[in-house]
Amino acid sequence: MSTPDRAAPAAPETVTLFRNGYPESHHRVSAVVADAAGRVLHAWGDADATVFPRSALKPLQALPLLESGAAEAFAVSDEELALAIASHNGLPMHVERVAAWLARLGLSTDDLECGAHPPFDAGATKSLYHDHAEPNPLHNNCSGKHTGMLATCLHLGLPTAGYSRPEHPLQQRILEVYAETTGTPAAAMPQGIDGCSLPAAAMPLAGLARAMARFAAPEEHFDADRAAAARRICRAWAAHPELVAGPSTFNTDAMSLTAGRALLKRGAQGVYGGLVPDLGLGLAVKAESGSSIAADAMTAVVLRTLGVADETIWRRMTDLPYFKETSWRGLPAGEYRPVEGWPG
């Protein structure tokens, strides 16, 4: 696809749910591919649209954990670092690792300000209630990120109570990180509150893609300390896709299918951020409807466009169950298709 005219946004992609070959629902999705210099190489929809990336920002939020020296001081493992950027499913492999990390910091679930919700994994939720237990903050998909922030506060001598508030020095530092990596001034980023009670910043879709590209080619635009932090985050990201999300998620499955060539991070309400390290490129995806399935499908299209998904990977990726609907009896009922050429 040719470089778009920034004054005339390209048409967004439409992901359609078909039932017996008839369209039922349409989801407009925008996507951007950028390089580390900020050049938009591919765009579907408005590259400058302001979006809330939500959890797609977690790799950026983890930079202070490394840049501050906290990760080294507390011997943070690659598994724990993967959890620091995760939206995990609340499986034992997630919860137990976060609990052990907290304990090593001398903290407990009472110190987490993310709140509690049932695990995203249905089996984990069923097991929890079978044991007559209630979800606690460890089950929150953001518990690893919050633990990483607590570690940073401890190392820097910052208050741990209230670390989630927008005025806390750590959150102010993270806002600076967004500005430095996306190229968007902090004052130009609207602020809200995320589901885990942390500040949520909004920014141009192309800004998210630019930040991801700089993770892919950190030496080009980051100083030595930040470049080392970005490389370490990418190493953990690639090595532990099952911790970044979990089994039965497109996020984890797509990274596994591409053997780590693509690093992906889903955000709530139909967002993806990601990068392709060997190409030095970043990507950002946003479904206007907030549909996660539509965002999954568009992310697959972007990976195919970039050549990361060859024909074999493309077939396997589009055959994943996320793009198919079945009845409660397991009968084929519908399928999501974004473009001509999507295998049917």
Side-chain angles (χ1 to χ4, degrees):
M1 185 174 179
S2 60
T3 302
D5 180 353
R6 298 298 292 276
E13 188 59 75
T14 299
V15 176
T16 301
L17 171 61
F18 290 90
R19 199 170 297 276
N20 193 28
Y22 293 92
E24 179 176 19
S25 302
H26 301 288
H27 304 274
R28 288 160 46 98
V29 190
S30 294
V32 181
V33 175
D35 64 15
R39 292 184 294 260
V40 173
L41 306 182
H42 303 277
W44 299 256
D46 187 358
D48 295 319
T50 299
V51 304
F52 282 98
R54 304 289 295 274
S55 286
L57 289 173
K58 285 177 178 174
L60 306 185
Q61 293 169 333
L63 283 170
L65 171 63
L66 291 141
E67 292 178 327
S68 68
E72 182 178 4
F74 292 113
V76 174
S77 68
D78 278 2
E79 291 182 348
E80 290 166 340
L81 190 52
L83 286 164
I85 68 168
S87 297
H88 66 70
N89 280 1
L91 290 161
M93 67 176 174
H94 304 121
V95 172
E96 291 168 3
R97 284 178 170 86
V98 176
W101 187 7
L102 266 178
R104 200 168 74 251
L105 297 174
L107 301 174
S108 72
T109 56
D110 292 338
D111 295 291
L112 292 173
E113 296 182 358
C114 53
H117 64 67
F120 286 165
D121 183 86
T125 297
K126 184 178 179 180
S127 296
L128 192 69
Y129 291 132
H130 181 269
D131 293 337
H132 305 288
E134 294 290 332
N136 66 57
L138 291 172
H139 297 99
N140 188 303
N141 75 97
C142 298
S143 63
K145 172 178 70 174
H146 282 248
T147 301
M149 290 184 178
L150 284 166
T152 306
C153 289
L154 285 174
H155 183 66
L156 295 176
L158 300 174
T160 54
Y163 71 87
S164 64
R165 295 174 186 163
E167 66 272 15
H168 190 280
L170 178 58
Q171 301 309 325
Q172 289 295 304
R173 177 62 194 131
I174 289 171
L175 184 61
E176 293 174 3
V177 169
Y178 296 159
E180 293 160 1
T181 56
T182 68
T184 306
M189 288 187 275
Q191 296 286 302
I193 298 296
D194 214 327
C196 67
S197 298
L198 287 171
M203 60 193 64
L205 191 63
L208 175 60
R210 182 182 303 116
M212 293 292 106
R214 290 175 175 175
F215 266 78
E219 293 80 5
E220 295 183 23
H221 287 275
F222 291 163
D223 63 26
D225 288 343
R226 178 158 293 171
R231 286 193 300 270
R232 174 86 193 279
I233 289 170
C234 288
R235 186 179 80 193
W237 198 349
H240 300 288
E242 75 288 351
L243 297 181
V244 173
S248 301
T249 66
F250 179 81
N251 197 155
T252 289
D253 284 349
M255 287 195 287
S256 297
L257 282 173
T258 62
R261 278 198 73 200
L263 303 181
L264 302 173
K265 184 68 201 68
R266 179 195 276 183
Q269 292 297 309
V271 181
Y272 265 94
L275 56 140
V276 183
D278 63 347
L279 298 180
L281 300 178
L283 63 95
V285 174
K286 169 61 180 175
E288 294 179 14
S289 66
S291 167
S292 60
I293 297 176
D296 291 345
M298 190 63 211
T299 301
V301 170
V302 173
L303 295 179
R304 187 188 197 191
T305 300
L306 296 178
V308 177
D310 62 19
E311 193 62 29
T312 299
I313 293 173
W314 169 250
R315 288 277 175 177
R316 293 176 64 191
M317 193 174 288
T318 55
D319 194 44
L320 291 169
Y322 320 113
F323 306 124
K324 304 178 191 302
E325 287 206 350
T326 58
S327 74
W328 293 112
R329 289 175 52 206
L331 301 175
E335 61 177 343
Y336 289 83
R337 293 205 304 269
V339 290
E340 292 184 12
W342 182 270

